[in-house]
Amino acid sequence: DLCGLTRGVAQEVDAAHVVAMGYSMGGFGVYQVAGHDSALFDAAIPIAGYGRGTREDGSHGFAADQPVAEEQLEDFLKAVGHRLARVAKLLVVHARNDDVSSFRDAEYIVDFVNGQGGGAELLE
């Protein structure tokens, strides 16, 4: 269990803070681990990250099979959104002109998390 290992190391070194940060697929991993164990992390920072699925259609180069991809994103957020809302600080870093990972999805994730009572911030 990655979160258990992280917790153990943090305790062993008497860490003042535990932060998850990752870029692109690593950003996806940040959503995964913070959504799994929100109490472990003082901050979670996905950079150009993404969730499972997308709201984008094929017109922007994402080649997403809609409505299936949007349903996958909804299911992903229903599974982890309420826990992401409990992360002390969720900073989502994303460029509006990103043509690989959807900025629109990043906005949607932030809005969803905040709708669950979170305090997520989107940084462009």
Side-chain angles (χ1 to χ4, degrees), residues 17 20 22 41 72-73 89 99 115:
H17 299 284
F41 300 98
Q72 288 174 332
L73 183 58
K89 194 65 167 174
D99 62 357

Side-chain angles (χ1 to χ4, degrees), residues 36-59:
H36 177 73
D37 191 349
S38 58
L40 174 59
F41 300 98
D42 296 297
I45 309 168
I47 303 166
Y50 52 87
R52 188 177 317 121
T54 182
R55 299 183 81 208
E56 299 289 353
D57 58 23
S59 66

Side-chain angles (χ1 to χ4, degrees), residues 31 49-57 62 64 66 69-70 73 76-77 92 94 100-112 122:
Y31 287 128
Y50 52 87
R52 188 177 317 121
T54 182
R55 299 183 81 208
E56 299 289 353
D57 58 23
F62 294 97
Q66 292 299 0
E70 187 165 355
L73 183 58
F76 172 73
L77 289 172
V92 177
H94 213 107
V100 175
S101 181
S102 170
F103 178 82
R104 213 176 97 189
D105 288 349
E107 287 181 309
Y108 187 70
I109 291 168
V110 167
D111 289 345
F112 188 95
L122 179 60

